[in-house]
Amino acid sequence: MTPTRQASVRLTQFAHGGGCACKIPPGELEEVVSGLGAPLSGGDSPLLVGLATGDDGAVVTLPGQDTAMVCTADFFTPVVDDPYDWGRIAAANALSDVYAMGGRPVLAVNLLAWPRDRLPFELAREVLRGGLDIATEAGCHVGGGHSVDDPEPKYGMAVTGLADPARLLRNDAGRPGVPLSLTKPLGLGVLNNRHKATGERFEQAIATMTALNRDAAAAALAAGATCATDVTGFGLLGHLHKLARASDVTAVLDTAAVPYLDGAREAVRDGYVSGGTRRNLEWVAPHTDFGATDADTRLLLADAQTSGGLLVAGEVPGAPVVGELVPRGDHSIVLR
């Protein structure tokens, strides 16, 4: 946890929160969107994945082709002070939703909100440059976008990808007897919160957030996986609950097998826990058997991640197995 270079302007101080911790709480969001499913879904509709299970992206088959189109959008307030790094992180996070569906991103457009009277535009350029560099690494074109004058800076992307409709990764395809793999360590939320409060720069967190989930998705598909989600603002427990609920199974989580970033436990111990993380834990509590899991571990498992890894129902080479799916019981999640 060594402070290194400092940004000349601390972007995180212009935002009320940071990254995916700013998501609307999952319980409130589900209440808002209840009953708003697409009227053209169901039956022979080309809409393969819509609102019903709260999956990572929408998927529709293209007429006359054996190809599906994956669509998603994601943006958030600054999670780090460096504008270039923020752009890279936001782009990797937006692209992740396509990978989490088993797709390949092909086109993105920028989504930018900027307080033009408070922050210089050269910082916005650095944000966009960071996003472009990550999209280029992913082999994804960037074709413009949309910007607004806003009191709070926000950045992200709307991304379109392509996928094989017979080889999608969905959050409702989990089956009993299948192991669970996690492809990135947890702790991004508490380290980002510490960065916002103190200015300390955590290179291990930035490296994790800017790493594409491309290779993890490819490995999951090669291993025959059909069920996955990425771990972002609702924390591991929140996204695991959604997966287990959609798949009508119970997820048994081996808490000792879950990997964490260096410094994450110390950040929890020192109180750098976001309100979003606490709301995540409150939301999953009625659906979780916590067993003897201590309070700090519960918070880390609910930690609001930004550009986290994939949670895959199946074994992914190089990724730790952190649990398994079993037949549905009294809870959607059991911690051991």
Side-chain angles (χ1 to χ4, degrees), residues 175 177-180 240 250-254 321-326 336:
R175 299 294 179 263
V178 179
L180 290 166
L240 184 56
T250 288
V252 179
L253 194 65
D254 178 0
V321 172
V322 297
E324 64 175 331
L325 301 179
V326 301
R336 289 181 180 165

Side-chain angles (χ1 to χ4, degrees), residues 46 48 59-70 104 161-165:
L48 299 181
V59 182
V60 63
T61 55
L62 298 176
Q65 301 183 43
D66 294 327
T67 304
M69 182 169 62
V70 184
R104 173 177 60 87
L162 299 176
D164 181 345

Side-chain angles (χ1 to χ4, degrees), residues 1 186-194 202 260-274 277-278 281 294-305:
M1 297 189 299
L186 302 182
L188 294 164
V190 290
L191 290 179
N192 288 339
N193 213 33
R194 186 166 200 150
F202 300 99
Y260 299 100
L261 288 165
D262 290 343
R265 283 200 173 273
E266 291 83 354
V268 172
R269 178 200 64 198
D270 294 341
Y272 295 104
V273 179
S274 69
T277 291
R278 296 188 187 280
L281 189 58
D294 64 86
D296 283 0
T297 299
R298 295 183 190 190
L299 286 168
L300 281 169
L301 293 173
D303 188 38
Q305 305 298 279

Side-chain angles (χ1 to χ4, degrees), residues 8-11 81 83-84 86 114 118-129:
S8 57
V9 175
R10 295 208 56 208
L11 287 175
D81 290 326
Y84 177 72
W86 175 33
W114 201 256
R118 301 175 64 202
L119 285 173
F121 264 123
E122 53 263 32
L123 296 181
R125 179 181 175 82
E126 283 298 288
V127 175
L128 294 172
R129 186 170 70 87

Side-chain angles (χ1 to χ4, degrees), residues 113-189:
W114 201 256
R116 48 186 294 275
D117 293 331
R118 301 175 64 202
L119 285 173
F121 264 123
E122 53 263 32
L123 296 181
R125 179 181 175 82
E126 283 298 288
V127 175
L128 294 172
R129 186 170 70 87
L132 178 60
D133 282 356
I134 286 293
T136 300
E137 179 184 342
C140 178
H141 299 285
V142 179
H146 182 68
S147 62
V148 295
D149 188 352
D150 191 300
E152 190 173 56
K154 303 175 184 73
Y155 174 66
M157 287 178 164
V159 187
T160 301
L162 299 176
D164 181 345
R167 301 184 67 220
L168 292 175
L169 297 173
R170 304 172 56 132
N171 71 355
D172 63 353
R175 299 294 179 263
V178 179
L180 290 166
S181 300
L182 182 64
T183 67
K184 286 186 183 181
L186 302 182
L188 294 164

